[in-house]
Amino acid sequence: DAKTTQPPSMDCAEGRAANLPCNHSTISGNEYVYWYRQIHSQGPQYIIHGLKNNETNEMASLIITEDRKSSTLILPHATLRDTAVYYCIVRRPNAGNNRKLIWGLGTSLAVNP
Amino acid sequence: DVKVTQSSRYLVKRTGEKVFLECVQDMDHENMFWYRQDPGLGLRLIYFSYDVKMKEKGDIPEGYSVSREKKERFSLILESASTNQTSMYLCASSWRQGSFDYGYTFGSGTRLTVV
């Protein structure tokens, strides 16, 4: 599975949009982009995933560039409860590929009042 | 909501003890996983299972074993605990449809300290 690169930390004002970038320049055609977040002292929580089209759910939006080499997770109106570490992962969602999942250290997002 | 429940939030064990970490999920997921998380190293996969009685080694299986006798339960066993196994242990499950794995649901974690 392709490796991802994320900034180690970001800040965002409460109520504003938080845009978290992820670079995955070695992504291959059948690999999906997944985003998770981990609030302090809890297990990671699934947010969203996508292949090439932009995706939106109740938690966030995922924008994937046309060449699929990078993506952005958007939290449209960040709240203090969105303070967490955000992980971007790229993988083929097939049984047998879990072994190669590379989590990295993610982006620590601080939402400030 | 899918729930993944880990039996203990905090655990302190002595070096050499045999340690059992239990994980139960309530949504009939086929896949279950055990990770450990250490500062500066991120999440690392220890073992995973695609079905009852099936198990596969992850990236760091040494010193660990697993058991999956029932679909909802996946146990991680530290055969002889050592201080370098002090860590946060996270269990996860995921649903598989055909060959497509959906996103993971994680438990809250067990912080194990080996003294």
Side-chain angles (χ1 to χ4, degrees):
Chain A
D1 293 309
K3 192 175 184 250
T4 61
T5 305
Q6 299 177 254
S9 63
M10 292 183 65
D11 285 298
C12 177
E14 189 177 18
R16 304 296 293 269
N19 298 300
L20 293 98
C22 180
N23 181 287
H24 30 79
S25 57
T26 59
I27 193 170
S28 60
N30 57 356
E31 287 181 319
Y32 283 66
V33 181
Y34 288 77
W35 282 84
Y36 290 80
R37 73 179 183 184
Q38 188 173 22
I39 295 168
H40 182 63
S41 297
Q42 297 182 23
Q45 175 191 26
Y46 165 79
I47 301 173
I48 198 167
H49 74 277
L51 182 61
K52 53 185 176 183
N53 298 321
N54 298 337
E55 302 287 344
T56 295
N57 63 21
E58 64 278 3
M59 290 182 70
S61 294
L62 173 60
I63 309 296
I64 302 173
T65 57
E66 195 169 339
D67 63 7
R68 303 210 322 122
K69 293 186 177 182
S70 66
S71 61
T72 301
L73 180 75
I74 301 172
L75 309 178
H77 306 286
T79 70
L80 298 179
R81 286 176 295 180
D82 292 322
T83 292
V85 177
Y86 287 78
Y87 297 98
C88 168
I89 297 157
V90 173
R91 67 176 288 246
R92 288 165 288 172
N94 306 91
N97 285 302
N98 292 293
R99 189 180 295 112
K100 301 185 185 69
L101 205 60
I102 301 170
W103 282 81
L105 298 179
T107 295
S108 180
L109 174 69
V111 180
N112 304 308
Chain B
D1 277 354
V2 177
K3 267 203 175 156
V4 177
T5 304
Q6 295 184 231
S7 53
S8 304
R9 193 83 173 91
Y10 299 94
L11 213 51
V12 179
K13 295 292 182 181
R14 294 193 181 278
T15 302
E17 273 193 79
K18 191 168 186 176
V19 181
F20 293 86
L21 302 184
E22 305 287 346
C23 175
V24 178
Q25 52 96 0
D26 66 359
M27 282 298 288
D28 205 35
H29 281 180
E30 290 84 0
N31 305 326
M32 294 189 76
F33 310 86
W34 275 106
Y35 283 88
R36 64 177 284 177
Q37 186 174 29
D38 301 288
L41 296 177
L43 275 80
R44 293 180 291 166
L45 182 63
I46 304 171
Y47 267 97
F48 58 101
S49 169
Y50 294 130
D51 206 344
V52 176
K53 297 193 186 295
M54 294 186 68
K55 59 186 179 185
E56 295 272 350
K57 291 181 180 179
D59 300 316
I60 51 165
E62 296 79 19
Y64 303 93
S65 62
V66 289
S67 172
R68 194 164 180 203
E69 295 296 319
K70 293 184 178 182
K71 192 174 186 179
E72 67 270 18
R73 187 180 296 270
F74 193 36
S75 303
L76 179 70
I77 303 151
L78 286 66
E79 298 292 342
S80 176
S82 63
T83 54
N84 63 11
Q85 292 178 309
T86 291
S87 185
M88 169 70 90
Y89 289 87
L90 290 158
C91 176
S93 70
S94 71
W95 177 45
R96 185 173 72 246
Q97 183 175 34
S99 62
F100 189 95
D101 282 347
Y102 285 81
Y104 297 165
T105 300
F106 281 86
S108 298
T110 295
R111 188 165 291 281
L112 173 68
T113 302
V114 182
V115 297

